[in-house]
Amino acid sequence: VCLDVTERKDAERALHASEEQYRLLVNSVHDYAIFMLDPTGHIKSWNAGAARIKGYEAAEVMGRHFSMFMSEQDRTAGLADRALRIAAAAGKYEAEGWRVRKDGSRFWASVVVDPIRDERGTLMGFAKVTRDFTERRQAQAALDEAREKLAQAQKMEALGHLTGGIAHDFNNLLMIVSGHAQILRRGIADPKALRAIDAITIAANRGESLTR
């Protein structure tokens, strides 16, 4: 019996070429950590971007659970399993949060987890994409701080204008009080009344000093 398997061999070669092109494409991406997980969250592939961002070579992470990149607090809270459950149920999991590099330093990560299913819908694993947004987050924090300082400066400027206007108006009132006290002094000889006028004048002078 002789069977012609040319088409099958051609299909196999085409599939292999397609897989190789995909592998080269993924591995050439340096700005994104792209790697595959099995259904339980263990790492099956590792690209150059993942090595650059997280600091691990492929041999150091293959077969390990992806929760190794999370903080102790997130691991204790079960964040890794929750992310896989949401991705499997909803078709995608997206989040931002702190992740840990090999050297122990932290970076702010944007994370996307997509489920990978076969033609029958069986869950084969997950594709995980991570991007380092630390610089963007720091820039946003600096911008927010600058805006807060500007708002505070504007409040202080408005308060200065308000108090300046009040002080000006109050000084005008005190000048009227002082001026009329001096006018009254000229026509009064009673010592008790003069002492009252002196008290009025002293109080007005103190008010002027206070407003200054």
Side-chain angles (χ1 to χ4, degrees):
V1 177
C2 180
L3 299 177
D4 185 355
V5 296
T6 304
E7 290 185 2
R8 189 183 71 183
K9 289 296 183 181
D10 288 343
E12 289 176 354
R13 283 193 292 268
L15 177 60
H16 178 74
S18 176
E19 291 176 345
E20 181 64 16
Q21 288 177 349
Y22 175 76
R23 187 189 66 81
L24 292 173
L25 173 64
V26 170
N27 200 50
S28 66
V29 176
H30 294 273
D31 292 334
Y32 294 80
I34 304 174
F35 51 98
M36 304 295 293
L37 307 173
D38 68 13
T40 60
H42 293 83
I43 300 168
K44 296 173 59 179
S45 69
W46 194 250
N47 79 326
R52 185 187 70 82
I53 292 174
K54 298 179 182 292
Y56 291 93
E57 296 300 326
E60 298 177 283
V61 299
M62 295 298 290
R64 298 179 64 180
H65 199 270
F66 81 104
S67 60
M68 64 182 288
F69 309 122
M70 297 180 177
S71 65
E72 183 65 31
Q73 181 180 0
D74 287 341
R75 287 198 297 269
T76 302
L79 179 59
D81 292 336
R82 181 159 59 88
L84 297 185
R85 285 198 304 271
I86 294 174
K92 178 174 287 189
Y93 172 82
E94 295 184 77
E96 291 190 9
W98 290 110
R99 294 296 183 267
V100 183
R101 294 189 176 91
K102 179 181 178 180
D103 61 7
S105 62
R106 300 197 309 165
F107 67 99
W108 188 258
S110 170
V111 176
V112 178
V113 181
D114 289 300
I116 305 299
R117 301 182 184 275
D118 63 13
E119 62 276 5
R120 295 185 300 274
T122 303
L123 181 66
M124 305 299 294
F126 299 89
K128 186 171 185 297
V129 180
T130 302
R131 192 172 186 186
D132 186 354
F133 275 179
T134 306
E135 291 185 1
R136 190 184 76 170
R137 187 172 188 269
Q138 291 173 342
Q140 184 62 48
L143 179 60
D144 292 342
E145 183 180 359
R147 286 174 175 169
E148 178 62 27
K149 288 182 177 179
L150 176 60
Q152 187 65 23
Q154 289 173 336
K155 289 179 183 178
M156 294 302 295
E157 182 180 8
L159 182 60
H161 287 311
L162 175 64
T163 54
I166 293 174
H168 178 74
D169 291 341
F170 190 56
N171 263 332
N172 290 339
L173 296 175
L174 292 175
M175 289 176 63
I176 294 173
V177 173
S178 298
H180 281 76
Q182 294 175 8
I183 293 172
L184 290 173
R185 177 185 296 278
R186 299 193 191 109
I188 295 177
D190 181 19
K192 185 176 182 180
L194 289 173
R195 286 194 298 271
I197 292 174
D198 289 339
I200 292 172
T201 303
I202 292 172
N205 291 336
R206 287 178 178 175
E208 291 174 3
S209 299
L210 179 60
T211 55
R212 282 196 297 270

